[in-house]
Amino acid sequence: MNTAYTNAVQVLIDELGRLPGVGPKSAQRIAFHLLQISSQDAAKLARAITEAKARIRFCERCFNISEHTQCELCNDHRRDPSLLCVVEEPRDIVALEKTGEFRGRYHVLGGTINPIAGVGPDQLRIKELLARIDSENVIEVICCTNPNIEGEATAMYLARLIEPLGVTVTRIASGLPVGGDLEYADELTLSRALEGRQRLAAT
Amino acid sequence: MNTAYTNAVQVLIDELGRLPGVGPKSAQRIAFHLLQISSQDAAKLARAITEAKARIRFCERCFNISEHTQCELCNDHRRDPSLLCVVEEPRDIVALEKTGEFRGRYHVLGGTINPIAGVGPDQLRIKELLARIDSENVIEVICCTNPNIEGEATAMYLARLIEPLGVTVTRIASGLPVGGDLEYADELTLSRALEGRQRLAAT
């Protein structure tokens, strides 16, 4: 602890430093920013935190964040219940919804199978996923876990578990990002992009 | 605004996005983090913000942050009042105090002279600085404004203003950072490092 800080500032810096992606330097910068803005503006942030924590819970069906027992996506009856997109975290739903491409439902696993971190299938919402597949007449499960070792392993695990139930299990494509450069792509991404090549329709 | 967010979450993301160095992606990441941690931990952060805002004011002498009318540094009578270090912001005091090298007093200007941003000498605490030089028997003023155009200009301005009062005005050295590499230094820094060369004492 630095003696140049008063106690209240040190507490604030410590608390800010616990946030993801906020290192000691950023925490200090944010703290001094908060001390310099008006009390009303700082209170707005404090209130937004308290409000969100008080009002947000998890959707009891898909485990997305929600202000009600079921989230807006689960309550939207225009969405196709036969198409189920499995993601790791609620923030992945936000990313997918931004595309505007997917009109099915979601299911949040709450992580990935990761033996090193002690996360097995029982710690994820796989039991709940199987129950939904059973009760909601799901035809296809799209595994949208992240394209890293844990995400791939979890997708494989789900495929082995769900395919025998007569449900199609698919995986989002790996390949070059749009606007990317072949020259700078890593070998693994490039070989995945080759594997996943698709025929061009000459119209 | 994205429809996948509930309102309370959007408010939280917006408020977080106003913090310095926190872009939209980071704001989203921090918001989801806050939703997933315990309510107690989130409340701690909210409380730290409110507490710090309620308790922190500015030292009426040097304009450092303080929990009292005068800050700890101004109240520390072991510090040499004849040596006055002029900085832009309170956070610069923290950086300088970490060196443990300076045993004088500080004065926070509250910024730099920046005509483009509409900041002239009158918007800075220069009047208060002159009053302190007069009343506190200051012998040397060390200009520790940042080594950029505005910081240099402000230091020059202060030198012209204060030197005629018979007070020595100095500037912190520019040069290569310790552990740095000559090869990667920019020309300006390198020429400053050459200009500021000092004789090695062969003992």
Side-chain angles (χ1 to χ4, degrees), chain A residues 161-184:
Chain A
L161 202 67
I162 299 166
E163 286 266 356
L165 309 173
V167 174
T168 308
V169 181
T170 56
R171 177 92 180 98
I172 41 158
S174 278
L176 292 176
V178 177
D181 201 319
L182 219 80
E183 192 184 344
Y184 296 111

Side-chain angles (χ1 to χ4, degrees), chain B residues 4-74:
Chain B
Y5 292 130
T6 63
N7 197 29
V9 178
Q10 189 60 50
V11 170
L12 179 58
I13 292 174
D14 289 347
E15 288 300 327
L16 289 167
R18 282 187 231 285
L19 299 176
V22 178
K25 281 270 169 189
S26 307
Q28 186 182 308
R29 193 171 161 213
I30 294 173
F32 278 102
H33 168 83
L34 288 171
L35 292 174
Q36 261 155 2
I37 61 174
S38 75
S39 287
Q40 288 96 304
D41 285 343
K44 264 192 210 161
L45 172 60
R47 211 174 327 122
I49 296 168
T50 323
E51 274 283 295
K53 283 305 282 187
R55 288 172 54 188
I56 301 298
R57 50 184 127 175
F58 293 97
C59 170
E60 60 175 24
R61 190 191 289 195
C62 77
F63 303 98
N64 185 15
I65 53 166
S66 171
E67 292 198 19
H68 310 284
T69 29
Q70 287 205 2
C71 75
E72 287 175 29
L73 298 171
C74 283

Side-chain angles (χ1 to χ4, degrees), chain B residues 78-107:
Chain B
R78 288 165 306 174
R79 299 189 78 108
D80 183 358
S82 71
L83 218 58
L84 197 57
C85 180
V86 174
V87 296
E88 295 180 18
E89 302 291 347
R91 61 172 174 265
D92 301 327
I93 296 182
V94 177
L96 285 161
E97 280 300 290
K98 275 187 186 153
T99 68
E101 287 290 327
F102 183 66
R103 297 301 300 161
R105 298 271 170 87
Y106 292 95
H107 188 83

Side-chain angles (χ1 to χ4, degrees), chain A residues 99-117:
Chain A
T99 68
E101 288 290 327
F102 184 66
R103 299 300 302 161
R105 298 272 170 87
Y106 292 94
H107 188 83
V108 180
L109 284 180
T112 46
I113 297 170
N114 187 345
I116 297 165

